[in-house]
Amino acid sequence: MDIDGSTHVRGMRVVHHGRRGAPPLVLIHGSGAAGSSWGPVAPALARRHHVVRIDLPGHGQSPPAASYDVPGQAAVVAAALDDLALGPVTAVGHSSGGYIATALAERRPDLVGALALISSGPSPDALLPQPALLRALIAPPLGPLLWRVRSDAMLRRGVNAVCRRPVSVPDDLVDDVRGIGYRTFRTVLRRNTEYIAERSLPARLGALGLPALVVFGAADPRWDPDAVRLYDTASSTRVERLDGVGHFPMLEAPEETGELLLRFLAAADR
C-alpha cells in the first residue's frame, strides 16, 4: 500500500512517502532548513523505499525544544522511530543532519543499518569563511534585526548563497525556513560545532563500522571540499564528489544525488 501523508510524533512533524513495508529510509535536514529540503529527491527514493522526512525540533513545522544538543536530538528521533515501529533504517543526513544521523547510530545501533551523509563537515577546522549574506544573518548586531525582517526573496538568496548552481528554492521550504527562530538557529549551530569538536565525524564513522556513503559538492562554499579526504580513513565509508555542486546537492543536482543514494541503498540491502 502506498503511503503519502504527515503526522506529528514526539512533537516532530513526520512526512511519509512510498510503500508501507518497503525498506525504511529516514531523511534528516540540516541547520536552518526543514524536511521539505528533500523534496526534489524524495519521489525517486520513494519508488523503492518507505521514505520518512523529519522536521527536527525548532525547524519547519516542529515546535522548539528545551535543548538542541546533537545526542539529545538523536534520542528524540530514536523515540519517534520506535513509536512508528521502524527499524533498522538507513539514516540520511544533510549538512548537520549528518551529525544527528551519526549520533542516532551511536546511541541506537539496533535502529540504524547504514548511513549516508551529504555535505556534512568532518570537523570545525574544515569550515570556510561563510558567504557575506549568511554572516550578516547569523552574527550580531545585525543578525537579530535582519532575522525579523527576512523576506521570501532574502530567504531564497540565503539558500543560493551556499549553492554553486542556481536553484529554484521550493515554496514549502521557504515557508518552513521562515518559522525558525534566531536564537534557536544560533543555539543549534553551537551544539553542532561541539559535537564535531568533541570527536570528528570520520572518527565516529570509523568506530561505528557501518556501511556509509559520504557525498560532497566539489564546490561547497561552507566546507573545504578537500577535507572530504578525511573520510577516506573510515574503511567502511565510500566517498562521492559532485563536480560543480555546492552545499545543497539535493536542490542543485537532485537526479545525481538520488541515483547515488539509490545505488548505495541497493548495495547496503544485499
Side-chain angles (χ1 to χ4, degrees), residues 10-169:
R10 299 283 173 156
M12 297 184 299
R13 183 178 187 242
V14 177
V15 180
H16 299 265
H17 306 281
R19 182 170 51 84
R20 196 181 305 278
L25 178 63
V26 178
L27 305 180
I28 306 174
H29 63 81
S31 307
S36 46
S37 61
W38 295 100
V41 298
L45 299 175
R47 287 197 287 270
R48 302 184 193 173
H49 297 270
H50 174 181
V51 174
V52 179
R53 292 191 287 164
I54 293 174
D55 283 354
L56 292 171
H59 292 72
Q61 298 183 39
S62 296
S67 173
Y68 294 99
D69 67 281
V70 170
Q73 291 193 73
V76 176
V77 173
L81 295 176
D82 284 338
D83 288 353
L84 293 167
L86 290 175
V89 305
T90 297
V92 184
H94 171 245
S95 193
S96 61
Y99 308 157
I100 308 296
T102 303
L104 177 65
E106 290 173 328
R107 187 180 187 91
R108 290 286 305 277
D110 59 307
L111 271 181
V112 180
L115 288 166
L117 313 180
I118 300 174
S119 305
S120 297
S123 59
D125 56 0
L127 188 65
L128 296 171
Q130 300 303 285
L133 177 58
L134 290 188
R135 291 201 305 271
L137 279 170
I138 293 171
L142 285 180
L145 301 175
L146 290 174
W147 203 268
R148 288 195 288 268
V149 298
R150 292 170 301 159
S151 64
D152 287 3
M154 186 182 294
L155 292 172
R156 287 189 161 90
R157 286 199 301 272
V159 173
N160 273 277
V162 295
C163 295
R164 179 63 180 266
R165 300 178 183 178
V167 300
S168 178
V169 184

Side-chain angles (χ1 to χ4, degrees), residues 199-211:
R199 192 180 193 190
S200 74
L201 214 56
R204 292 177 184 275
L205 292 182
L208 284 168
L210 289 172

